[in-house]
Every structure is written in structure tokens, then in C-alpha cells.
Amino acid sequence: MASDFEATRRLFHLPDGVIYLDGNSLGPMPVAARARVDSCVADEWGEMLITGWNKAGWMEMPARLGDRIGRLIGAAPGSVVLGDTLSIKVYQALASALELRPDRKVILSDTGNFPSDLYIADGLVRSLGGGRELRTVAPEAVEAAIGPDLAVLMLTEVDYRTGRKHDMARLIAKAHAAGALVVWDLAHSAGAVEVDLAGADTDFAVGCSYKYLNSGPGGPAFIYVAPRLQSQVRPALSGWLGHEAPFAFDLDYRPGQGIERMRVGTPPVIQMAALDASLDIWDMVTMADVRARSIELTEAFIRGVEAACPALTLASPRDPAQRGSQVSFRHKEGYAIMQALIAKGVIGDFRAPDILRFGFTPLYTTMADVTGAVRVLKEIMDGALWDREEYRRRARVT
Ligand SMILES: *Cc1c(COP(=O)(O)O)cnc(C)c1O
């Protein structure tokens, strides 16, 4: 393995006494992010003021960092751009795809999709009207539900609850054969599994930067549009920075060149500085190595938990080829068990109704983290240490 994961781990700030298995929800802070953000604030914003847009290259950051992410997801330079939040990027991609299939009415998704994606699709269907409809089927039933009425297949590759992974290339081929377009959400794929957007002939993809890519809370999302579609796409969120000439201040909208047209408004410069620092670490590894290491870690965790904690039921696919970089177990007291784990320094999260979720992120997760987490989980289960009122009290964020 050419990637040195001991070296990458040293480049993250990980609090003492914590085993962090939630980088699938919020990546930890790259050590260099602090100085990078500080320099962005003090040297750029502080000293350059508005001239920073030109002098510090702020205006080019969404495309420059988009290309850096592109390397991790099989996207050619010039096909990824940053901005906004993932929910907004889902709206943008879906609206653009629907507009390219005006005579078709159906958006197909699955019941394992993240609710925000489904809510966004539902809202878009309501505002477009015209008989459009969002259809959701069980994840296993997606392939059979692809038919000649399909406008857009909109899926999240890796299920946020169970880690189940769709066969992206196969579903894309099937959707294209039916004359439909595809929108893939890579929230739990970018930096987690190998993705080949260009090779799989994806039309649109979106994802976030604050999960596996470690840009910090509220970091911007990204959007991919296949180069062959970029000149046809008419952005529904036609903001001024997606205009061909924003500083001409024309009264009419003309879409910008290529992927630039998927920009909307002013990008979050300080947050992008943190992402830039994280992407320096990503430059040290290959996704093939990350995936191989992720499988070693998740396999060891499943073996360990199943041997030590028989009361927990595996909710993720057993075959590593069928899952992303997370492992989920079910237990009816899952919430309280997770709070007990967090109190003992093992941080994962809980997803209703009964899922304990653990993310494995080779850049900084070690085999010692895996064995440590299993040991603490066993202690909690053996001693029923979760059975306390304070662990049952639901916080706002679970
Ligand atoms: C994390 C996640 C989101 C979150 O969207 P935001 O707009 O960034 O809050 C959306 N969709 C999926 C599939 C996710 O995993």
C-alpha cells in the first residue's frame, strides 16, 4: 500500500482519550486547517479586504477545489464546482435533469435515501406541477422500477443508515437504456469508496465536504455535471455567479461556461480555506488504498462486535463489496447505548429508530481504535451501563 495512513493520522487534531468513529457525519479538524483559516482571516480578509477576491484567488476557489475533489470521485477537471449546501445542490441537479426530460414525469428514488433529498424532490415536484411525481421504492426494488416513463433516477449511493451500497454503474446503464437521466448523491461516497463518475457515465452528482472530506461544520457542497451535458444544462437557481459575465451586471441571465453555471452566489471563502487544508492530506493517498484499508477496518469491527456483543444485530451488508465505509448495528436501546459509548469516549451516532452507526475513515482510524471501541462496547453491554435515565434523554442532534 503506497498510502501512509500513520502519516495522515498525525495531520489531524484528535482529542485525547477519544476514539472517533463519526467522520462519516463530521470529519475532524486537520491540524493545518487552523493556520490556514487564520491566514485567510488575518492576511487575506484582514489585509486585502475586498481585493482578496482577485489577489487571494477567492473567486477561483469553488472550481479549483472542485477539481481537487474531482480526483477522488473520477471526475475530469472542470466538471465539479463547490458552493451552497448539499440540499441545495440536490435541488439544482434534479431541476436541471428534469428540464432535460420535459416529456417525462417520474422521479424515482428509494426509501433508504436521506430524507432531505426526498423532501427537496417533493418540494420541486410541487412547485413544477404538470403531473410530475416522486416515486420511492425499496432499495432492492429500484432496478425493476426503472421504466419508459422515468425522467430522473435520483439515488444516494451509500445508505446513511445501513451503509448498503448501490451498484452505481449498473443502475446508470439501466436508466440510460430507458432514456432517463441520473442524479447521484455521494454524501457517503466521496472519500469513502472508489467512485468513477466519468467511467460510469454519470449525468449529475452531488455531495458534501464536511463528512469524509473534513471541511468542518457547514462546509460547502459540490456538484458534478458530465462534460457532455454542461452546455445544455439551464440552472434553475440562476444566480449571478453562475452568469456568463457576473460583473457586466446585465439584466438578463446567460449561463456561464461549463460547470461555472452551477454556481449560485458568493461562496464561503473561510470554510473553503479549511477544505483546502484537508485536501492537502487527501493528496497523499489513493482511493484504492483508502477503500482497501476501510474494508480491513470494517471487517475487523464486525468480527469483534459480533463475537463480544451478541445482543447487537448487524444492520449493514455482510459482504464488504455491498457496503460503504460505515457499519451499523441495531438494538432497541440503541440511543442509550450510543450515549453511554460517547460518555466513555467512543463517538459514533444514532439514527432512528434503532441504529448505532460507526464510520471508518482510514486517514485517521486505526486498528487500535477498532479494538478499543469493541472493548468499550462490550463493557457497556455486559454491565448494562447504558441503562440510565440520562442516556435516554434525546438531544436535539442525535
Ligand atoms: C448529510 C446528507 C445531507 C445533508 O444535506 P445538507 O444540506 O448539507 O444539510 C443530504 N443528503 C444526504 C444523502 C446526506 O447524507
Side-chain angles (χ1 to χ4, degrees), residues 85-88 113-114 116-117 156 160 185 187-188 208 210-211:
T85 72
L86 178 51
S87 302
I88 287 172
N113 206 344
F114 190 76
S116 195
D117 297 36
T156 296
Y160 74 104
D185 191 325
H188 297 277
C208 33
Y210 54 80
K211 292 175 179 165

Side-chain angles (χ1 to χ4, degrees), residues 15 38 131 135 143 157 215 218 222 293 337 370:
D38 188 55
R135 240 178 240 169
E143 188 172 346
E157 186 189 17
S215 68
F222 64 84
R293 184 65 179 152
I337 296 168
V370 169

Side-chain angles (χ1 to χ4, degrees), residues 34 115-116 197 207 230 274 313:
R34 188 189 298 242
S116 195
L197 288 181
Q230 285 173 9
T313 311

Side-chain angles (χ1 to χ4, degrees), residues 24 110-115 138-140 155-166 185 187-189 212 315-317 322-328 330 351 355 357:
N24 53 315
D110 70 37
T111 52
N113 206 344
F114 190 76
E140 302 72 27
L155 294 171
T156 296
E157 186 189 17
V158 176
D159 186 307
Y160 74 104
R161 268 181 307 210
T162 63
R164 175 203 40 75
K165 186 170 155 299
H166 275 302
D185 191 325
H188 297 277
S189 306
Y212 291 88
S316 299
Q322 308 278 323
R323 63 172 190 258
S325 200
Q326 71 180 67
V327 173
S328 301
R330 290 184 198 281
R351 287 294 174 262
I355 298 258
R357 191 171 71 152

Side-chain angles (χ1 to χ4, degrees), residues 57 99 115 200 212 245 294 303-304 312:
E99 202 173 319
Y212 291 88
S294 154
R303 263 197 317 275
L312 299 179

Side-chain angles (χ1 to χ4, degrees), residues 143-158:
E143 188 172 346
I146 294 173
D149 56 351
L150 184 61
V152 182
L153 177 64
M154 179 191 84
L155 294 171
T156 296
E157 186 189 17
V158 176

Side-chain angles (χ1 to χ4, degrees), residues 18-36:
V18 165
I19 295 178
Y20 194 58
L21 302 180
D22 212 2
N24 53 315
S25 227
L26 177 69
M29 186 185 84
V31 173
R34 188 189 298 242
R36 194 73 60 92

